[in-house]
Amino acid sequence: MSKNLTALVEAAIFAALAMTLSFVPDFASWFTPSFGAIPLVVFALRRGLKYGLLAGLLWGLMHFLLGKVYYLAFSQVLIEYIVAFVSMGLAGTFANSFQSALRLNQTKKALSLGVLASLLAVGVRYFWHFVAGVIFWGSYAPKGMSPILYSISVNGIAGLATLSLVLVALFLMMSPQARNFFLAKKA
Ligand code: 218
């Protein structure tokens, strides 16, 4: 198989994996972390920005296929299921430097780049959920609470919880065997 085709197939597989994890029940309503962020960040660090963005897009689109979309308005759905999910691929910005550090056994440097990648991806994604929260979800705020404060609390906590999951996974994947999974790109 050509290299591009392999990466495309992997993007579809990782988007599907992320989507499977989106079926973890919302045990904490909108505070529930996004487990699918783990495979998405791992994949983006393996294949880079272009394929990472594609996998994010596919993950977002799968919500439509499987009826997992919370619809309040067209622009809200666009922001929360396309823009926000595509943003997860931004982790791929650091794929080259991350993989170079791994190849040189600079584990601490690799981990720092991984943290940066996760922070960017999860941060930008939840920024969009925050924006949508202010504009569209304000009526769900407790009585007397401003939509901005409500959205910051909900999406801030969910974003931080998601980031924690991704960071734990990344840390575990620094082991000498597991780290090889990241090394898909040319040196
Ligand atoms: C305040 C608030 N409540 C709910 C939402 C909707 N939201 C939040 C996070 C993630 C997702 C995508 C599905 O996992 C959605 C739709 C919000 N943005 N703000």
Side-chain angles (χ1 to χ4, degrees):
M1 222 169 15
S2 82
K3 272 205 84 196
N4 288 347
L5 188 56
T6 310
L8 277 176
V9 171
E10 284 182 14
I13 292 173
F14 273 80
L17 193 54
M19 190 64 218
T20 306
L21 293 172
S22 289
F23 280 86
V24 171
D26 296 339
F27 55 83
S29 108
W30 285 115
F31 294 105
T32 313
S34 172
F35 290 89
I38 298 171
L40 210 109
V41 169
V42 168
F43 174 72
L45 285 172
R46 172 179 162 85
R47 285 294 178 182
L49 181 62
K50 189 173 73 175
Y51 292 105
L53 295 173
L54 174 68
L57 176 66
L58 293 176
W59 181 22
L61 291 175
M62 284 176 190
H63 287 75
F64 296 89
L65 290 178
L66 297 170
K68 283 286 262 181
V69 170
Y70 289 86
Y71 182 97
L72 298 180
F74 181 74
S75 50
Q76 171 259 336
V77 163
L78 210 63
I79 293 172
E80 297 208 271
Y81 292 94
I82 306 290
V83 179
F85 280 90
V86 169
S87 305
M88 287 300 307
L90 290 173
T93 312
F94 296 93
N96 284 330
S97 45
F98 174 75
Q99 291 183 27
S100 302
L102 280 184
R103 283 199 174 84
L104 296 169
N105 274 317
Q106 299 171 328
T107 307
K108 272 187 193 158
K109 184 176 174 189
L111 197 56
S112 309
L113 288 162
V115 170
L116 217 58
S118 310
L119 202 62
L120 178 68
V122 176
V124 173
R125 174 180 168 190
Y126 277 87
F127 166 76
W128 288 114
H129 290 310
F130 159 73
V131 170
V134 174
I135 304 174
F136 300 101
W137 296 86
S139 58
Y140 293 84
K143 248 196 152 84
M145 193 182 205
S146 82
I148 293 183
L149 187 62
Y150 175 61
S151 191
I152 283 197
S153 322
V154 170
N155 294 302
I157 290 171
L160 283 176
T162 301
L163 182 65
S164 315
L165 288 178
V166 173
L167 293 184
V168 169
L170 219 54
F171 182 77
L172 294 174
M173 282 195 66
M174 288 295 110
S175 80
Q177 300 90 339
R179 62 169 61 181
N180 292 315
F181 183 77
F182 290 111
L183 303 178
K185 287 175 79 86
K186 278 210 211 87

